[in-house]
Amino acid sequence: MALKSLTIVGATGSVGLSTLDLVRRSPDRFEIKALTANKRVSELAALAKEFRPDFVAIADTNKHKELKELLAGTGIECAAGSEAVIEAAKLSSDILMAAIVGAAGLRPTLEAVRRGATVALANKECLVCAGDLMMQEVKANGAHLLPVDSEHNAIFQVLEADRPDAVHKITLTASGGPFLGRSEESLKSVTPAEAVAHPNWDMGAKISVDSATLMNKGLEVIEAYHLFPVEKDQISVLMHPQSVIHSMVEYIDGSTLAQLGSPDMRIPIASCLAWPERMPVPANTLDLASIGSLTFQEPNYEKFRCLALARDALEAGGAAPATLNAANEVAVDAFLTGRIGFLDISSIVEEALTQIDMKAPHSLANVFEIDSEARHLASALIA
Ligand code: NDP
């Protein structure tokens, strides 16, 4: 495999660090071009010293002085602010790993798409709030969008994308998060610590809460709709607590193809980094005999209201997906900081969806307008 240059936006997060773990083990395959973070300045500086990128950006301008001091004498250029993160994404590199959490990842991801890069997409929120615009830009600029999300990566690996007529449906599997077996009544009092304790995956706080509410699966349904040539009613969700089958494609002849693997994000990340080749990953091999049995069940749309809201938002189209995403980001943050309860997350998202009446975004500026309106509304509901 030829040496590839790689920029990671969101380098200090869970996906960013898993990506760098693979790079660390394969120095002959990858060189780091640029790294970015939001606030974790000392972690970012330590990564920069280890991986020696040309450029490092921190979104929080208050951390600029500290970053400069930490990198003094290294010769690594650094800058701060959201524009600096976008500059990092614009720099020429073979692959951009889009690992920022939330709608904040939209502009950097779009810039990499616009320069025709191969984009390994972890940041699902950018497809949720601007899926049509993003996919138009991918096509227009000859970029490659490779899904990092384990479910979408699984489908990417088994889908014959050039033969959509042969596909009956795709099935996204869902672990169900930490509260799959809990009663709705008991969900009223769950704490942020319980919500982020995912049984199978080690992830950032926001996606962990999204997994607990099943909003994550709802966002993934919208993400799948934009990534793959399927209709909305061809995307189904199946609960599968062991997280071994990462997703499936059922063809019209009754054959179902699935991708299986240990629940380790380095597997789908490596699939994107090495694409179209493959590279070794130091993950546990899948030992089906010791797992013993794989179980499945239908999702409970009443208990996990967020999943139903996301499906409704996809169906409604227009401003609904961007509104859903923004209201959810605000509500999850309020839950994590103890300002609302777990079940309030879905109530706030639902209320925001009923109040916003805007048309489908036709430009990036329009996406941010919807995003900002939904954030104001959700904040007001929380207050
Ligand atoms: P983390 O919270 O662990 O990391 C987020 C990263 O984004 C950090 O580097 C953070 O910087 C940076 N960041 C946060 N806010 C901003 C901002 N406003 N501007 C610039 N950078 C910012 O998230 P995860 O790694 O868990 O998830 C990243 C994305 O990948 C999400 O969209 C998630 O849904 C998706 N994903 C994650 C999976 C996982 O296993 N974790 C699996 C599949 C998808 P700092 O550290 O300085 O705060």
Side-chain angles (χ1 to χ4, degrees), residues 10-15 37-40 59 99-102 104 122-125 149 202-204 207 265:
T12 46
S14 162
V15 171
N38 186 29
K39 288 182 186 302
R40 283 187 268 190
I100 291 176
V101 62
N123 177 253
K124 65 193 83 186
E125 293 92 343
D149 229 333
D202 183 12
M203 308 182 287
I207 184 177
M265 278 307 292

Side-chain angles (χ1 to χ4, degrees), residues 30-372:
F30 305 103
E31 62 179 7
I32 297 293
K33 184 77 180 180
L35 296 174
T36 81
N38 186 29
K39 288 182 186 302
R40 283 187 268 190
V41 65
S42 49
E43 287 87 340
L44 180 64
L47 293 171
K49 284 178 184 163
E50 179 181 356
F51 291 97
R52 312 300 294 186
D54 296 345
F55 183 63
V56 168
I58 187 128
D60 184 348
T61 47
N62 295 321
K63 308 278 179 183
H64 193 192
K65 186 166 169 277
E66 196 178 342
L67 184 61
K68 276 200 281 198
E69 283 166 7
L70 288 165
L71 294 181
T74 62
I76 301 170
E77 198 189 331
C78 71
S82 50
E83 291 304 318
V85 174
I86 291 166
E87 283 314 307
K90 280 183 178 171
L91 290 176
S92 168
S93 66
D94 297 317
I95 307 174
L96 177 112
M97 168 56 75
I100 291 176
V101 62
L106 175 55
R107 284 181 64 207
T109 308
L110 199 54
E111 288 306 335
V113 164
R114 284 179 175 156
R115 66 175 169 82
T118 294
V119 174
L121 184 75
N123 177 253
K124 65 193 83 186
E125 293 92 343
C126 67
L127 276 188
V128 173
C129 55
D132 288 339
L133 292 173
M134 181 71 80
M135 296 315 288
Q136 280 163 19
E137 295 275 359
V138 168
K139 215 170 162 190
N141 294 288
H144 293 289
L145 206 54
L146 306 178
V148 170
D149 229 333
S150 59
E151 296 77 1
H152 305 74
N153 186 266
I155 291 170
F156 182 76
Q157 292 195 44
V158 297
L159 180 73
E160 293 178 33
D162 53 347
R163 289 206 271 158
D165 292 349
V167 175
H168 176 55
K169 68 170 183 176
I170 62 176
T171 299
L172 303 176
T173 53
S175 70
F179 306 139
L180 182 62
R182 297 266 295 250
S183 70
E184 193 170 344
E185 183 58 30
S186 76
L187 293 184
K188 284 183 185 155
S189 55
V190 296
T191 63
E194 288 174 288
V196 299
H198 196 283
N200 305 343
W201 300 95
D202 183 12
M203 308 182 287
K206 193 259 177 183
I207 184 177
S208 297
V209 175
D210 285 348
S211 297
T213 60
L214 289 204
M215 178 59 91
N216 183 50
K217 208 49 54 182
L219 300 178
E220 287 178 8
V221 169
I222 302 174
E223 182 186 11
Y225 172 70
H226 290 292
L227 282 173
F228 305 119
V230 289
E231 300 299 327
K232 294 165 189 163
D233 60 2
Q234 285 179 294
I235 307 170
S236 69
V237 171
L238 182 66
M239 309 314 293
H240 167 44
Q242 295 81 19
S243 300
V244 167
I245 297 180
H246 295 303
S247 278
M248 309 177 239
V249 177
E250 185 183 328
Y251 289 92
I252 51 173
D253 62 2
S255 290
T256 296
L257 302 193
Q259 185 262 355
L260 287 71
S262 299
D264 185 329
M265 278 307 292
R266 291 175 302 178
I267 297 174
I269 291 171
S271 144
C272 296
L273 295 184
W275 181 84
E277 297 173 32
R278 292 197 183 259
M279 61 183 275
V281 175
N284 292 334
T285 51
L286 189 60
D287 183 355
L288 288 173
S290 68
I291 292 168
S293 59
L294 301 179
T295 59
F296 306 94
Q297 64 192 73
E298 287 294 338
N300 181 338
Y301 286 91
E302 262 132 54
K303 184 162 91 175
F304 295 105
R305 194 76 202 107
C306 286
L307 178 57
L309 292 172
R311 288 212 83 121
D312 291 349
L314 175 62
E315 211 49 58
T323 301
L324 172 101
N325 181 66
N328 181 59
E329 284 191 34
V330 172
V332 169
D333 184 60
F335 169 68
L336 283 169
T337 48
R339 289 176 286 137
I340 60 171
F342 183 73
L343 293 180
D344 295 329
I345 298 173
S346 59
S347 308
I348 285 159
V349 173
E350 185 158 18
E351 188 56 33
L353 281 168
T354 56
Q355 290 196 26
I356 287 211
D357 181 22
M358 288 171 93
K359 292 200 171 54
H362 49 75
S363 67
L364 199 57
N366 207 207
V367 171
F368 286 117
E369 217 182 309
I370 296 166
D371 179 271
S372 149

